[in-house]
């Protein structure tokens, strides 16, 4: 019966279907700026900061403190957006993101030209990234809450797919924009940071006008108890988010090492090959979300299951890869899997909670994803030191356990989705 229901709903959206609000593309544009900023940080900053005299551990601390702040404040901003409206929280996040980008770029640029004591410089770098963790973490829960506010149950998956596609687009074009700006500005490192921050502020204010209109309606809600991390409506989706987070962190941390140690073996062009690989992941996810998830009405639970399955398969392929072609093909499967699982998972969560808890739920989801980057140095890297394939195999094992859990609790998922009117 479930199979019949699923295939009956697997059809292209027609004119009679509920139309996904076009304003979601505006939110996608803002997320594209944030995605471009993050890709810029991860591509440029580690090498630049190390060139200033810091070691790899100190570079990791700079990022870890920001991630830790993100984990604690994302749920806070989500709950607050449920109470006072999305617009103020969204703009707080955008301004925090832009301010962090500008100050971080300015500190690095100044330090390259003028002598600053390392202790002072380290404090400034931590502080500027901390701004992003404290304030920038408000963007996602406020945006995700608004998508839930303005979409119906039938088109919510499409709304979240477009939202996540914005991030993927930013990750793809970010390095291209950075390269062009560095070329035009004679390698002035501050220019890319400033440009992305300005575009982020512009798109933020455009979205603010739409969000402010909706706040008048959506803040008239029943005050509910704080949504708990252990709420049985919530934690199944948080488990899926945890898996996607640790798998992403594993890939980010080990890819360069794996290509260098196993595939190319000390090839001088290693970073170019890895950069192409990350672009493949983002592009695969983007195409999947826009041409499959957005176009077809697919049960979100099925999207999660299929997406997680493809991610498991991709990590198994990575573990046995010995050529750059096999490595890229594995990344295609990973990108497609993530492109299915992420919008499916956030839709499952959104449909499982009350309409007055949407920001809180999205905030909890935003809290989980960075955890992977915090635990990877202590879990994944020791495994890599034993054998480069072990991290990918352990991700496969975690994914299989998650898959068995989802199959076993399928009725539980359906129960909460069908019980809510959000």
């Amino acid at each position: 019966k479930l199979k019949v229901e699923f295939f009956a709903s697997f059809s292209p959206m027609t004119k009679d279907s509920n139309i996904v609000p076009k304003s979601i593309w505006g939110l996608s544009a803002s997320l594209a700026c944030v995605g471009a900023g993050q890709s810029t940080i991860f591509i440029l900053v580690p090498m630049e900061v190390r060139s200033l005299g810091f070691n790899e551990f100190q570079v990791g601390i700079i990022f870890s403190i920001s991630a830790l702040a993100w984990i604690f404040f994302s749920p806070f901003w989500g709950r607050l957006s449920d109470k006072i409206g999305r617009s103020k929280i969204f703009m707080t996040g955008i301004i925090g993101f832009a301010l962090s980008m500008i100050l971080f770029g300015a500190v690095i640029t100044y330090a390259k030209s003028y002598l600053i004591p390392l202790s002072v410089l380290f404090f400034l770098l931590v502080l500027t990234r901390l701004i992003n963790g404290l304030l920038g973490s408000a963007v996602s829960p406020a945006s995700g809450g608004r998508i839930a506010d303005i979409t119906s149950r039938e088109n919510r998956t499409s709304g979240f797919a477009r939202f996540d596609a914005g991030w993927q687009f930013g990750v793809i074009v970010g390095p291209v924009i950075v390269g062009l700006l560095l070329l035009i500005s004679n390698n002035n490192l501050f220019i890319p940071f400033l440009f992305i921050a300005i575009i982020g502020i512009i798109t933020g204010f455009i979205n603010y006008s739409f969000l402010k209109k909706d706040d008048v309606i959506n803040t008239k809600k029943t005050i509910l108890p704080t949504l708990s991390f252990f709420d049985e409506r919530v934690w199944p989706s948080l488990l899926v988010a945890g898996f996607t987070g640790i798998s992403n962190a594993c890939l980010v941390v080990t890819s360069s090492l794996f290509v260098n140690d196993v595939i190319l073996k000390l090839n001088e062009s290693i970073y170019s090959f890895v950069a192409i690989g990350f672009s493949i992941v983002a592009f695969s996810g983007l195409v999947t979300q826009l041409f499959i998830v957005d176009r077809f009405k697919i049960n979100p639970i099925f999207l999660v299951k299929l997406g997680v399955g493809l991610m498991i398969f991709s990590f198994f392929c990575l573990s046995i890869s010995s050529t750059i072609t096999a490595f890229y093909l594995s990344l295609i499967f990973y990108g497609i899997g993530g492109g299915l699982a992420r919008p499916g998972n956030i839709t499952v969560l959104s449909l499982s909670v009350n309409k007055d808890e949407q920001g809180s739920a999205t905030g909890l989801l935003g809290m989980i994803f960075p955890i992977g980057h915090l635990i990877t140095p202590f879990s994944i890297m020791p495994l890599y030191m034993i054998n480069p394939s072990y991290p990918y195999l352990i991700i496969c094992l975690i994914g299989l356990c998650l898959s068995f859990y989802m199959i076993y609790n399928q009725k539980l998922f359906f129960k909460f989705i069908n019980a809510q009117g959000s």
Side-chain angles (χ1 to χ4, degrees):
K1 182 180 179 181
L2 290 175
K3 290 182 179 179
V4 172
E5 291 177 352
F6 163 71
F7 284 109
S9 65
F10 191 96
S11 58
M13 289 188 178
T14 65
K15 293 181 180 179
D16 295 329
S17 302
N18 291 319
I19 299 174
V20 182
K22 293 182 179 179
S23 59
I24 291 177
W25 291 118
L27 291 174
S28 297
S30 289
L31 260 290
C33 293
V34 177
Q38 289 297 93
S39 63
T40 299
I41 290 289
F42 283 119
I43 289 174
L44 292 182
V45 169
M47 293 298 295
E48 293 294 336
V49 172
R50 192 168 64 175
S51 70
L52 296 174
F54 297 105
N55 57 40
E56 287 79 359
F57 176 76
Q58 291 170 314
V59 174
I61 289 294
I62 293 172
F63 286 103
S64 295
I65 291 177
S66 175
L68 193 61
W70 191 290
I71 289 171
F72 283 104
F73 275 83
S74 180
F76 166 77
W77 293 121
R79 290 193 299 271
L80 196 59
S81 75
D82 284 334
K83 294 179 181 178
I84 69 173
R86 316 295 183 198
S87 59
K88 299 181 183 65
I89 304 304
F90 174 82
M91 278 310 300
T92 298
I94 287 293
I95 292 172
F97 160 75
L99 185 63
S100 175
M101 290 289 291
I102 292 172
L103 292 178
F104 196 80
V107 169
I108 293 179
T109 304
Y110 187 87
K112 290 176 71 69
S113 302
Y114 302 94
L115 183 63
I116 301 177
L118 286 182
S119 57
V120 176
L121 181 57
F122 182 77
F123 172 77
L124 292 175
L125 291 174
V126 168
L127 179 63
T128 52
R129 281 302 293 166
L130 189 59
I131 293 173
N132 186 61
L134 295 175
L135 302 180
S137 55
V139 174
S140 184
S143 302
R146 181 174 188 265
I147 290 174
D149 293 337
I150 64 176
T151 56
S152 66
R153 293 169 60 88
E154 291 74 21
N155 62 26
R156 193 160 303 170
T157 305
S158 295
F160 282 123
R162 295 182 184 185
F163 179 68
D164 196 68
W167 174 277
Q168 300 299 327
F169 180 76
V171 172
I172 294 172
V173 302
V176 177
I177 293 174
V178 169
L180 290 175
L181 291 175
L182 288 175
L183 183 64
I184 295 172
S185 64
N186 194 26
N187 289 322
N188 187 330
L189 195 65
F190 179 65
I191 298 300
F193 287 88
L194 179 64
F195 178 82
I196 293 174
I198 291 175
I199 298 299
I201 288 290
I202 293 173
T203 60
F205 274 109
I206 293 173
N207 280 293
Y208 178 75
S209 60
F210 291 106
L211 270 68
K212 194 172 183 180
K213 293 178 182 177
D214 293 335
D215 282 348
V216 177
I217 300 173
N218 293 318
T219 52
K220 297 178 181 180
K221 300 176 178 179
T222 304
I223 303 300
L224 298 173
T226 300
L227 191 63
S228 170
F229 180 91
F230 299 103
D231 192 311
E232 58 182 348
R233 300 170 299 164
V234 170
W235 63 269
S237 294
L238 299 186
L239 283 180
V240 176
F243 172 72
T244 58
I246 193 171
S247 63
N248 177 75
C250 174
L251 201 61
V252 169
V253 172
T254 63
S255 289
S256 297
L257 297 172
F258 188 79
V259 171
N260 181 75
D261 299 339
V262 178
I263 297 177
L264 298 182
K265 299 180 180 178
L266 303 180
N267 188 297
E268 295 181 358
S269 303
I270 178 176
Y271 293 109
S272 299
F273 282 100
V274 175
I276 292 172
F278 283 119
S279 296
I280 288 174
V281 171
F283 184 75
S284 300
L286 179 66
V287 170
T288 300
Q289 290 164 337
L290 294 183
F291 293 98
I292 297 179
V293 181
D294 184 31
R295 180 172 172 74
F296 296 94
K297 295 179 180 178
I298 306 176
N299 188 302
I301 296 176
F302 180 82
L303 288 176
V304 175
K305 290 179 180 178
L306 180 58
V308 170
L310 287 174
M311 293 170 73
I312 295 171
F313 178 70
S314 71
F315 274 95
F316 175 75
C317 292
L318 283 170
S319 70
I320 60 174
S321 295
S322 58
T323 66
I324 196 65
T325 301
F327 180 75
Y328 286 160
L329 287 174
S330 301
L331 295 183
I332 290 175
F333 284 115
Y334 178 78
I336 295 173
L340 296 173
R342 287 191 303 273
N345 188 48
I346 192 172
T347 302
V348 169
L349 178 61
S350 177
L351 295 178
S352 298
V353 300
N354 192 282
K355 64 180 180 179
D356 302 332
E357 300 171 312
Q358 296 296 326
S360 298
T362 310
L364 287 175
L365 206 64
M367 176 187 76
I368 294 298
F369 194 80
I371 291 179
H373 289 279
L374 288 181
I375 67 175
T376 293
F378 311 102
S379 56
I380 296 299
M381 293 314 295
L383 288 172
Y384 185 91
M385 294 172 65
I386 298 173
N387 188 303
S389 296
Y390 283 178
Y392 304 140
L393 291 175
I394 199 66
I395 295 295
C396 289
L397 180 61
I398 295 173
L400 287 172
C401 293
L402 177 62
S403 296
F404 287 130
Y405 170 80
M406 288 191 294
I407 294 173
Y408 180 76
N409 289 280
Q410 177 169 292
K411 292 182 179 180
L412 184 64
F413 274 110
F414 277 114
K415 172 186 173 182
F416 287 123
I417 287 179
N418 293 331
Q420 299 302 324
S422 57

